[in-house]
Amino acid sequence: LPFGCVIGKEYAENVFYEAPRYHVLTGIARCAREDGACPGDNYSFLRSGRKDAVMVLADGMGSGMEAGRDSTMVVELLEQLLSAGFEEAAAVRLLNAALMLRSKQVKFTTLDMGVINLYTGNCEFVKAGAATTFIKRKNWVETIASTSVPLGFLERVECETKHKKLYHDDYIVMLSDGALDCIGVPEKEEYLEQMIADMTERSPQEMANRIMEGIVESPGYTAKDDITILVAGVFAA
């Protein structure tokens, strides 16, 4: 902007913020266990403050309307806590406490969360009973696994947290348990990892669609569970 547009004769207050170094594009593909049924998985893409982009995937136990109700509640409560300014770890602890109080009505729910810092490219992965997450960089893929229990299982939640540095043209692939359970080959994660490594698509939505097609067309595919696939692409601004 011209200098005169910022500094004028009249008193004014101006606030300047540093522009983020990265931006995130997202894609989503979903498939219910039965045609027309309500999926038991739910997800969200949101901004937490000015610096973080957050992707969330919750998987209710089982499938159908009841599981969908539980996972929806988890995602909505987490959105509210993050929007209110809670740090991710504190938000998860409060969420687990809320589930424990309602344990008679709510079954266990997995939680998978990726918090991407748009200024540094650092990403914090928080997992509670969630399936493996894949990070694609060109034709190389890294996996982030978890052995933690779902939310609502124990009074004191022990989430697994891992930090990874992301760069331009990196992709995060986050899956519900059904994506792996429905693949018929013995080495399910290796099959999916190779499929993601071989992909040439650059659009997160095209990647999500292609992964879903690869799962449905995999040898021995059976519709055992709902499938939700989230893809987030990180690009230099």
Side-chain angles (χ1 to χ4, degrees):
L1 291 174
F3 186 74
C5 294
V6 178
I7 307 298
K9 295 181 179 180
E10 298 182 1
Y11 175 81
E13 291 185 359
N14 297 281
V15 180
F16 299 90
Y17 296 107
E18 179 185 0
R21 184 179 179 184
Y22 300 97
H23 67 273
V24 174
L25 299 179
T26 59
I28 172 71
R30 309 182 76 188
C31 179
R33 180 178 178 181
E34 299 178 4
D35 291 339
C38 173
D41 313 328
N42 270 285
Y43 69 96
S44 179
F45 293 108
L46 68 148
R47 288 290 296 271
S48 178
R50 293 193 307 272
K51 67 182 181 69
D52 293 330
V54 184
M55 56 192 303
V56 179
L57 176 58
D59 186 358
M61 296 296 100
S63 61
M65 187 174 296
E66 185 176 356
R69 179 205 65 195
D70 296 343
S71 61
T72 297
M73 185 194 72
V74 167
V75 170
E76 290 179 349
L77 281 175
L78 185 60
E79 286 179 332
Q80 293 172 16
L81 291 169
L82 293 177
S83 298
F86 284 89
E87 293 293 331
E88 290 76 21
V92 172
R93 288 194 296 270
L94 287 172
L95 184 56
N96 185 70
L99 290 178
M100 293 298 299
L101 291 174
R102 299 184 59 182
S103 59
K104 293 183 179 180
Q105 294 81 27
V106 180
K107 298 180 181 179
F108 311 137
T109 303
T110 68
L111 176 66
D112 210 351
M113 179 166 55
V115 184
I116 307 168
N117 187 308
L118 300 177
Y119 291 89
T120 64
N122 293 324
C123 183
E124 180 182 14
F125 293 94
V126 181
K127 288 179 168 291
T132 299
T133 293
F134 300 82
I135 301 176
K136 176 179 172 61
R137 180 173 299 149
K138 299 186 186 303
N139 60 347
W140 173 80
V141 175
E142 180 179 3
T143 59
I144 300 177
S146 170
T147 57
S148 57
V149 298
L151 296 179
F153 188 80
L154 299 172
E155 290 187 6
R156 184 171 181 176
V157 64
E158 295 292 343
C159 291
E160 291 191 44
T161 303
K162 295 185 179 179
H163 294 81
K164 297 294 178 181
K165 172 68 175 177
L166 302 178
Y167 300 92
H168 170 70
D169 212 21
D170 283 356
Y171 298 85
I172 301 171
V173 179
M174 195 173 283
L175 312 159
S176 61
D177 289 337
L180 292 169
D181 292 341
C182 293
I183 297 174
V185 299
E187 304 297 333
K188 302 176 188 295
E189 289 190 11
E190 288 78 1
Y191 174 87
L192 196 53
E193 181 179 345
Q194 188 61 54
M195 180 174 64
I196 293 172
D198 293 340
M199 294 177 65
T200 58
E201 290 85 353
R202 295 194 62 195
S203 162
Q205 185 58 58
E206 291 179 358
M207 288 184 65
N209 294 339
R210 183 66 191 90
I211 294 170
M212 180 65 78
E213 291 173 3
I215 292 172
V216 174
E217 296 171 359
S218 65
Y221 167 80
T222 54
K224 294 181 178 180
D225 198 357
D226 306 316
I227 301 174
T228 298
I229 301 168
L230 306 184
V231 180
V234 179
F235 305 96

